[in-house]
Amino acid sequence: MAEIILGGSRGNSVAMDAAMANRHGIISGATGSGKTVTLQILAEGFSRIGVPVFMADIKGDLSGIAMPGSRSQKIEQRLVETGISGFEPAGSPSIFWDIFAREGHPVRAAMSDLGPLLLGSLLELNDTQTGVLYSAFKIADNHGLLLLDLKDLRSLLIFMSENGAELKAEYGNFSSASIGAIQRQLLVLEEQGAEYFFGEPALDLNDLMQIDSSGNGVISLLDATDLVSKSPRLYATFLLWLLSEIYERLPEKGDLDRPELVLFFDEAHLLFDRAPRPLLDKIEQVVRLVRSKGIGIYFITQSPLDIPEQVLGQLGLRIQHVLRAFTPRDRKTIASVADTFRANPAIDTRQCITELGIGEALVSTLDAKGMPTPVRRILIRPPASQIGPLSTEQRAERISRSPVHGRYETRIDRESAYELLKQGAEATDPDPQPERTISRSPRARQSIGETLVKSAARSIGTQLGRQLIRGLMGSLLGGRPRR
């Protein structure tokens, strides 16, 4: 049985059964309570038993996981207290990623892959505006228009505005005010750096599921320090897109002795803040079903109450660091958090939550039958890897010899909606003059349609074209399922 050692108390170690790791989990606690080190030791543990890991580095201090740590008197004392033997400093194989392409390999996705529901949430659209976005994706689907980046969607919105009367019968009415609102939100999104995320080459999920030559799972570390500060909604959208892509693409696995992939979502409250009810429903559905694909999801946040109740109820592993009780509201929160644990007669859970020291936690795992174990108070084990970030030189050296180096660095700008719509507009008037009025006759509009169909057919004729056309169907979080 593969295990992940969490820590221990009074010389007795506490571990999690890896076969239960796809039942998800949560790490919670106040700022400075030790959540980052707990995240680090879990990621190390999964890597060591051959499970690939994806996690976001919010504070910029997790990159040291790639380097061996060092022994110290404090670490030796913690090993004795937790009952852990055989400790050896070691780094974990790691790949660094960064949407802004500064601290790692670029991460991109085609806009069509997000689907209108997820994209509408990212743009903070109201119901009417989201409906217009659904129409835009439907038009793109029907006409073979590939939505890869921001300029593709902008071009499509302009096309819809100029041809609204013709499109109304099939796609419904979309006012210029709604289209204008979407266009303004796209400008805001661009200011936040979204142009780095939307485009090609898109992230290949296989690159997040690698095993090194020694049988260790590779840890994919997304640098999210700038991302969370500049655009927290883009950060949350990326994580939800990644989760939906994994759910759609991976086959059913049944019961496994360990997960196929583990995801750690730090600042987890951002996934749920201001998300519309339909999106929350989809998130809850994916979290419930994705474990059958051998995927484990671990949320990191200050309070478990940041997580919707329907999601919280699906989380098997619970690691609770200290919470402070300064106000009556804080005390109510602590009481609610304590009630999420299976009681242990030897522990006053409510009292313990406020007394825990740094690096100490209340823990409940799942037993072999999938039942929660009684809560235990433990010390988290020390990580085998370096605590704190790599130097700039160390990070650059690892990026240069990464197995995906050179695969994503050069952006590709293929023929997509922007180019096709431009061709269609030119087809309505082969010899435009400044003083001429472009014909808006039915025949002219038919020329636009013919151009779009012919251009789409050329795209479908290639393997990449077929893949992108499938992307037009949208993701589970907003579009039709892929075929």
Side-chain angles (χ1 to χ4, degrees):
M1 178 181 71
E3 291 184 328
I4 309 292
I5 303 295
L6 304 176
S9 63
R10 299 178 181 178
N12 297 312
S13 64
V14 173
M16 172 180 62
D17 184 352
M20 293 291 119
N22 67 336
R23 306 295 180 92
H24 314 319
I26 183 171
I27 304 168
S28 52
T31 301
S33 60
K35 296 192 301 295
T36 299
V37 169
T38 300
L39 167 59
Q40 188 168 341
I41 66 106
L42 278 172
E44 282 182 0
F46 281 117
S47 174
R48 201 162 295 141
I49 63 171
V51 178
V53 171
F54 171 88
M55 61 182 182
D57 188 0
I58 299 293
K59 295 184 291 186
D61 54 2
L62 278 171
S63 58
I65 201 168
M67 288 282 290
S70 58
R71 304 185 80 114
S72 67
Q73 184 176 356
K74 186 177 181 179
I75 286 178
E76 296 293 343
Q77 180 181 354
R78 179 62 61 96
L79 293 172
V80 171
E81 293 170 338
T82 54
I84 295 172
S85 59
F87 176 87
E88 291 294 337
S92 298
S94 304
I95 298 178
F96 298 103
W97 303 89
D98 181 4
I99 283 179
F100 301 119
R102 291 192 290 266
E103 301 295 333
H105 305 292
V107 178
R108 302 187 192 91
M111 181 167 285
S112 56
D113 284 342
L114 265 72
L117 178 58
L118 191 52
L119 184 58
S121 176
L122 173 61
L123 295 171
E124 300 186 76
L125 304 181
N126 62 31
D127 290 345
T128 301
Q129 295 157 0
T130 301
V132 172
L133 201 58
Y134 270 90
S135 296
F137 272 69
K138 180 68 174 177
I139 291 168
D141 192 352
N142 290 348
H143 290 281
L145 297 170
L146 308 181
L147 301 178
L148 303 180
D149 52 29
L150 290 173
K151 72 178 186 300
D152 288 327
L153 182 55
R154 285 199 184 99
S155 298
L156 179 57
L157 291 171
I158 293 171
F159 172 79
M160 292 168 61
S161 179
E162 293 177 345
N163 297 273
E166 178 187 355
L167 298 169
K168 178 180 179 180
E170 185 173 357
Y171 301 103
N173 185 42
F174 22 84
S175 69
S176 58
S178 293
I179 290 178
I182 298 173
Q183 290 171 323
R184 288 191 295 274
Q185 288 301 99
L186 287 174
L187 289 173
V188 173
L189 196 61
E190 186 173 25
E191 283 295 314
Q192 296 172 348
E195 75 274 13
Y196 291 96
F197 177 56
F198 293 111
E200 293 186 295
L203 177 66
D204 184 346
L205 295 183
N206 292 320
D207 289 333
L208 302 182
M209 302 183 68
Q210 300 191 50
I211 308 292
D212 75 0
S213 58
S214 299
N216 297 306
V218 175
I219 296 175
S220 289
L221 191 64
L222 175 73
D223 185 278
T225 51
D226 285 345
L227 183 60
V228 168
S229 63
K230 290 182 178 179
S231 182
R233 292 188 72 82
L234 180 58
Y235 166 72
T237 299
F238 165 72
L239 296 184
L240 293 175
W241 166 79
L242 178 62
L243 182 57
S244 67
E245 286 288 292
I246 288 170
Y247 175 78
E248 288 184 56
R249 292 174 180 258
L250 297 185
E252 296 286 329
K253 292 291 184 177
D255 294 329
L256 302 173
D257 66 347
R258 68 199 69 193
E260 292 280 290
L261 174 68
V262 166
L263 309 170
F264 289 95
F265 290 168
D266 204 350
E267 296 291 343
H269 67 280
L270 295 174
L271 278 68
F272 309 103
D273 285 353
R274 294 182 292 171
R277 185 68 251 176
L279 180 56
L280 288 175
D281 291 341
K282 292 296 184 182
I283 297 170
E284 293 161 8
Q285 178 188 10
V286 173
V287 171
R288 183 175 68 254
L289 298 177
V290 77
R291 73 186 192 187
S292 66
K293 312 253 179 164
I295 306 300
I297 305 169
Y298 292 79
F299 299 98
I300 299 93
T301 189
Q302 290 201 20
S303 169
L305 303 187
D306 293 335
I307 309 296
E309 187 176 351
Q310 294 86 342
V311 174
L312 188 62
Q314 301 178 50
L315 308 182
L317 175 68
R318 295 171 186 261
I319 301 178
Q320 178 65 57
H321 290 276
V322 67
L323 288 175
R324 309 300 181 191
F326 297 120
T327 67
R329 182 178 179 181
D330 292 339
R331 288 191 287 273
K332 288 181 180 179
T333 297
I334 289 170
S336 298
V337 170
D339 290 342
T340 65
F341 286 96
R342 181 179 170 186
N344 182 340
I347 295 176
D348 183 340
T349 307
R350 295 188 186 186
Q351 186 68 25
C352 276
I353 289 177
T354 64
E355 296 176 345
L356 296 168
I358 297 174
E360 195 176 15
L362 293 176
V363 173
S364 176
T365 62
L366 297 180
D367 63 22
K369 296 181 179 179
M371 297 296 294
T373 59
V375 63
R376 295 183 63 177
R377 183 174 181 171
I378 71 168
L379 292 168
I380 298 298
R381 74 164 175 86
S385 57
Q386 173 181 302
I387 297 176
L390 298 178
S391 68
T392 300
E393 295 74 21
Q394 288 172 327
R395 182 189 286 264
E397 190 271 334
R398 277 160 176 74
I399 292 172
S400 68
R401 57 185 178 89
S402 160
V404 301
H405 180 67
R407 192 175 304 171
Y408 296 98
E409 277 66 20
T410 302
R411 180 181 287 271
I412 299 172
D413 189 11
R414 300 191 323 109
E415 186 177 69
S416 52
Y418 172 79
E419 289 80 13
L420 299 186
L421 289 169
K422 183 178 180 181
Q423 293 172 22
E426 291 172 350
T428 67
D429 190 0
D431 186 25
Q433 298 295 329
E435 67 273 11
R436 286 182 59 187
T437 300
I438 295 177
S439 170
R440 296 296 181 186
S441 67
R443 178 57 195 163
R445 289 193 292 270
Q446 181 62 30
S447 297
I448 294 176
E450 290 173 350
T451 302
L452 295 180
V453 170
K454 291 176 182 178
S455 298
R458 290 198 299 272
S459 294
I460 296 173
T462 68
Q463 182 177 1
L464 284 175
R466 288 193 296 271
Q467 292 172 349
L468 288 168
I469 289 295
R470 288 199 299 271
L472 289 169
M473 303 307 172
S475 69
L476 183 65
L477 297 182
R480 291 184 289 168
R482 290 180 178 164
R483 294 191 276 271

